[in-house]
Amino acid sequence: MPDATPRQAEPMLEVQDLARYFDVSRPWLQRVLAGEKRRVLRAVDGVSFSIPKGTTLSLVGESGCGKSTVARLVVGLYRPTRGRVLFDGQDLEQARADAAQRRRMQMIFQDPYASLNPRWRIRDIIAEPIRAFGLTPDKAAQTLKVQELLTQVGLSPQDGEKYPHEFSGGQRQRISIARALSSNPEFLVCDEPTSALDVSVQAQILNLMKDLQQRLGLTYLFISHNLAVVRQISDRVGVMYLGRLVELAPAETLFTTPRHPYTRALMEAIPDLEMSGRQRIPVGGEVPSPINPPPGCPFHPRCPLANARCRAEVPVLIPARSTPEALVACHAVEEGRDQPEAPLPAQRIGTTATAL
Amino acid sequence: MSDAPLLEVKDLRVEFPTRRGTLVALDGVSFSIAPGEVLGVVGESGAGKSMTGAAIIGLLEPPGRIAGGEIRLNGRRIDNLPYEQMRRVRGREIGAIFQDPLTTLNPLYTVGHQLIETMRTHLDLSAAEARARAISWLEMVGIPAAAQRVDSYPHEFSGGMRQRVVIALALCAEPKLVVADEPTTALDVSIQAQVIALLKRLAREKGTSMMLVTHDMGVIAETADRVAVMYAGRIAEIGPVREVVKHPKHPYTAGLMASIPPLDRKVEHLAQIEGAMPRLSAIPKGCAFNPRCPKVFDRCRHERPDLMDTGATHAACWLYDKVENYA
């Protein structure tokens, strides 16, 4: 599969045809008695991308599109059903077996209330990776390092003595970031790190993450459902739908000339503050179940540009006409049936997949 | 607006007695909603926006209680009604939509049953009439094959479809006012757009007033006529939505607006408000926003501002205190 990554930058992470299926069948006896087949949920189904060092790739999509599953596959919390993950050129399995490699990747989770042990002091939470990897055996040096990390994320060194409940959501997310940074990682997987936060606090955390990236040369895989947030933080953006990447493009290209009809529908759906009074056209229907995805292009039941080919043949990710820096999986774009400058054809509000 | 307000909230105060003393969750909240008007209420978690909605529909979680002020619907006080009378008001005169459609719908009854029951409790309808209306309500909110789906159970609907059923349920007894608390927060963005469009259309068609509580300024900008911005249990600013969004007067509103990441451009550094909203147990003296305010001056630390006229909006901020107020 082609890749829009500039050749000069070395990839920190490379993902090739990654897939993860989950067996969601009922227990064996019930299934046999009811005469049911196995039910397989294809959470991620053939995703490829790479992230050059020092840059941010974001994956966006609605619930159930598989973006969080990709995050977990990339750090090795799940094992892939198919495909490969290469971390700095090395197979992820091997990299994870080696503590010196493992400490180079860390993860930040969505919920700062669930991801910090309430019975540990902050200094112990932050020092945990340092101890686990045996980075600084010297106790005094460890304390110093923790204090430095707390300062780095905008907290006070004295906060190390406190417990998680004494902090607000935003401060807890700062603590999560400090913990992730304590093993001197180069690659951070951030799964919706600001989704649980209020908007003014979200701005603080986004600014902090950008500062840290510049200072420490970090590489981010950023998972989010919020396109506006993604625009602020990303170099490249992948849009996921039903376990597949439908568009992968440099952030500027994606936000100025979105090509895939789903990407365009997503942008259209976001309420804006401009109050131009323009009539927005919401995309009809809902995301189909990943257990029984529609044949052909997974978006075809909701797509205003769908034709017979879209219903039969799965499109692959290829450079788009007129914006070749964007990879788009869409027959309409490939055939030139889309009009990137014109709005998408209107759909009746409230129509559903079945009614189309 | 010249018409008498449909809803009038005056100096509302809600308290939570706790072992360590009484927490004041809402303090001096006053606003009104005109017939047919959509009032947006925004704020960050803990600002008191949901609490305000709960107080109006008489569903404050104990031990929370209304400790002062009054709520009038069509001129009649509803904050001190006995439970049974308030139950008649709820549904018939005030409809409610909550964030999570699964907790609003009873999983043991079909959606048709729930719609019919609500309508027959409040309206004088025969069983057959109510069923016909239930089906037409489901059609109105965009449920396909409504005549069959009316006999389905809530779990047989997707999240977006359930929220449509909840909207039908809130509106089916034809209330004058709907209190919608984060009606689209649990939904994905493409479904959210559908539900907002639906709510707007129905409110306009039926002439229903709406109090729309959400943390999403974009939803408010698209839907509301006026907006109240809440902070630490009080209204910081209230006014026409265009003014509040484009020309915010209160420093908190201005900071809040600036911290929303824009979709149409990339900014190097997002504006941020330092710190976090205070807990109810530690609301600062004077203006509650003063420790975070970039324009703070001495008076803000000692005296609490009430809403003041800023021209287009009203803001609780000493910057807008006029000299004649002293005279």
Side-chain angles (χ1 to χ4, degrees):
Chain A
M1 207 166 274
D3 198 311
T5 313
R7 286 283 156 256
Q8 58 273 27
E10 230 180 293
M12 175 55 89
L13 187 86
E14 232 181 315
V15 167
Q16 297 165 350
D17 192 32
L18 192 64
R20 170 71 205 206
Y21 300 166
F22 293 98
D23 189 338
V24 291
S25 318
R26 290 206 282 169
W28 177 81
L29 188 62
Q30 278 183 34
R31 186 160 54 82
V32 171
L33 289 178
E36 283 178 3
K37 288 195 181 145
R38 277 193 174 280
R39 283 149 49 97
V40 174
L41 185 150
R42 300 176 175 204
V44 177
D45 199 4
V47 166
S48 305
F49 58 80
S50 75
I51 314 177
K53 283 185 179 166
T55 68
T56 302
L57 172 78
S58 294
L59 293 179
V60 282
E62 300 180 274
S63 6
C65 73
K67 53 191 192 299
S68 290
T69 308
V70 170
R72 288 165 171 263
L73 283 164
V74 155
V75 291
L77 290 175
Y78 290 145
R79 298 185 68 162
T81 308
R82 187 181 77 226
R84 290 214 301 168
V85 179
L86 295 176
F87 178 70
D88 204 6
Q90 194 182 10
D91 190 80
L92 186 69
E93 286 278 309
Q94 290 167 23
R96 284 195 56 80
D98 176 0
Q101 293 295 316
R102 206 163 61 233
R103 66 136 196 96
R104 296 173 62 201
M105 60 181 108
Q106 287 290 347
M107 187 156 177
I108 300 168
F109 297 92
Q110 172 171 355
D111 185 355
Y113 291 85
S115 59
L116 302 177
N117 189 331
R119 304 178 61 167
W120 283 22
R121 287 184 197 274
I122 300 307
R123 61 171 148 83
D124 295 322
I125 291 175
I126 294 176
E128 172 76 355
I130 304 178
R131 288 193 203 117
F133 289 111
L135 297 177
T136 329
D138 176 29
K139 204 80 178 137
Q142 230 178 64
T143 310
L144 219 63
K145 172 79 179 169
V146 168
Q147 291 181 348
E148 182 196 314
L149 284 162
L150 280 168
T151 318
Q152 203 163 40
V153 297
L155 294 171
S156 121
Q158 286 82 47
D159 286 336
E161 296 307 311
K162 296 183 184 166
Y163 287 94
H165 74 263
E166 298 174 65
F167 294 91
S168 67
Q171 290 172 320
R172 286 183 205 215
Q173 207 57 309
R174 289 175 191 270
I175 295 165
S176 301
I177 294 173
R179 173 178 61 182
L181 293 177
S182 68
S183 68
N184 298 322
E186 291 151 52
F187 176 53
L188 284 186
V189 176
C190 317
D191 189 0
E192 304 261 16
T194 63
S195 303
L197 306 177
D198 279 317
V199 57
S200 71
V201 180
Q202 165 174 286
Q204 297 172 5
I205 298 296
L206 289 176
N207 287 334
L208 172 67
M209 290 184 62
K210 278 169 125 177
D211 289 351
L212 289 171
Q213 179 167 44
Q214 275 172 11
R215 272 211 306 251
L216 308 173
L218 299 170
T219 308
Y220 290 144
L221 173 62
F222 191 89
I223 311 288
S224 179
H225 68 278
N226 186 331
L227 281 168
V229 166
V230 161
R231 174 154 209 181
Q232 305 310 319
I233 196 137
S234 318
D235 297 295
R236 287 198 313 143
V237 180
V239 180
M240 289 190 71
Y241 189 75
L242 272 187
R244 293 168 191 275
L245 272 174
V246 297
E247 184 159 359
L248 179 61
E252 266 321 291
T253 313
L254 188 100
F255 283 97
T256 47
T257 42
R259 297 301 301 273
H260 196 285
Y262 177 62
T263 315
R264 292 168 66 185
L266 267 187
M267 305 246 189
E268 188 66 24
I270 297 170
D272 62 24
L273 288 172
E274 288 312 307
M275 293 185 294
S276 47
R278 88 193 149 100
Q279 200 58 45
R280 291 194 295 115
I281 307 156
V283 59
E286 305 193 358
V287 183
S289 153
I291 298 171
N292 278 312
C297 170
F299 188 59
H300 86 253
R302 305 172 75 187
C303 181
L305 306 173
N307 66 7
R309 187 181 175 204
C310 304
R311 288 187 273 275
E313 191 187 323
V314 180
V316 293
L317 212 52
I318 51 171
R321 281 174 183 238
S322 74
T323 53
E325 69 274 29
L327 303 179
V328 178
C330 177
H331 296 314
V333 171
E334 184 198 342
E335 294 163 10
R337 283 191 283 120
D338 71 325
Q339 291 161 310
E341 304 312 318
L344 284 173
Q347 280 184 310
R348 196 165 61 83
I349 291 165
T351 51
T352 64
T354 48
L356 277 172
Chain B
M1 253 171 251
S2 57
D3 353 23
L6 174 72
L7 180 82
E8 225 182 335
V9 176
K10 245 191 225 155
D11 223 7
L12 182 66
R13 182 180 171 95
V14 169
E15 292 180 349
F16 275 75
T18 69
R19 270 178 300 167
R20 289 185 204 160
T22 301
L23 298 180
V24 182
L26 291 180
D27 195 4
V29 171
S30 303
F31 61 89
S32 63
I33 303 180
E37 185 183 46
V38 179
L39 175 77
V41 179
V42 277
E44 302 182 89
S45 352
K49 52 192 194 307
S50 293
M51 193 80 67
T52 310
I56 290 168
I57 53 180
L59 288 178
L60 276 178
E61 293 258 344
R65 61 185 188 90
I66 295 178
E70 52 181 58
I71 303 170
R72 284 175 188 273
L73 186 70
N74 267 329
R76 166 185 174 215
R77 262 187 93 161
I78 57 166
D79 55 287
N80 52 4
L81 289 182
Y83 184 82
E84 261 313 301
Q85 278 184 44
M86 191 58 204
R87 208 173 67 85
R88 309 288 311 174
V89 170
R90 228 172 11 240
R92 182 69 190 91
E93 292 176 67
I94 307 180
I97 301 171
F98 299 102
Q99 174 169 349
D100 183 0
L102 259 191
T103 52
T104 309
L105 297 169
N106 188 329
L108 298 178
Y109 295 101
T110 64
V111 300
H113 181 109
Q114 298 181 49
L115 281 164
I116 291 166
E117 189 194 5
T118 306
M119 283 189 276
R120 294 198 69 194
T121 306
H122 297 294
L123 308 173
D124 187 21
L125 291 174
S126 75
E129 283 169 334
R131 186 177 163 86
R133 265 209 211 183
I135 293 171
S136 80
W137 268 108
L138 291 180
E139 275 167 3
M140 255 186 282
V141 295
I143 306 258
Q148 285 93 56
R149 298 293 267 166
V150 71
D151 295 316
S152 303
Y153 289 88
H155 76 266
E156 298 175 81
F157 291 85
S158 67
M161 287 294 147
R162 268 185 222 129
Q163 199 60 308
R164 289 165 188 269
V165 173
V166 170
I167 291 173
L169 204 55
L171 294 173
C172 68
E174 294 168 1
K176 314 248 179 7
L177 173 73
V178 171
V179 175
D181 187 358
E182 304 270 7
T184 61
T185 306
L187 306 175
D188 274 319
V189 55
S190 69
I191 310 299
Q192 166 178 306
Q194 297 171 8
V195 170
I196 294 170
L198 173 71
L199 264 180
K200 262 164 82 171
R201 180 169 59 87
L202 288 178
R204 199 175 48 235
E205 282 174 14
K206 309 275 171 199
T208 314
S209 303
M210 188 154 58
M211 175 172 157
L212 178 64
V213 175
T214 175
H215 69 279
D216 188 333
M217 206 58 216
V219 170
I220 297 267
E222 292 241 321
T223 319
D225 301 309
R226 283 191 308 139
V227 58
V229 181
M230 294 194 68
Y231 187 82
R234 314 197 68 184
I235 292 180
E237 185 163 3
I238 184 167
V241 69
R242 179 171 286 274
E243 288 300 325
V244 174
V245 171
K246 297 271 183 189
H247 312 288
K249 295 292 192 296
H250 195 290
Y252 173 65
T253 321
L256 191 66
M257 293 301 152
S259 64
I260 299 173
L263 183 65
D264 57 355
R265 64 186 188 281
K266 181 169 182 165
V267 289
E268 266 323 300
H269 192 86
L270 287 166
Q272 59 184 51
I273 311 177
E274 296 303 334
M277 194 160 58
R279 295 178 188 202
L280 290 182
S281 53
I283 293 182
K285 207 173 153 236
C287 171
F289 187 58
N290 87 67
R292 302 174 75 190
C293 185
K295 296 187 174 164
V296 62
F297 53 100
D298 201 42
R299 190 174 184 188
C300 310
R301 298 192 184 93
H302 306 293
E303 265 180 273
R304 212 158 59 173
D306 284 319
L307 285 174
M308 289 170 227
D309 194 352
T310 71
T313 72
H314 285 78
C317 177
W318 288 124
L319 288 173
Y320 301 97
D321 190 26
K322 303 230 169 54
V323 185
E324 51 264 42
N325 288 359
Y326 294 107

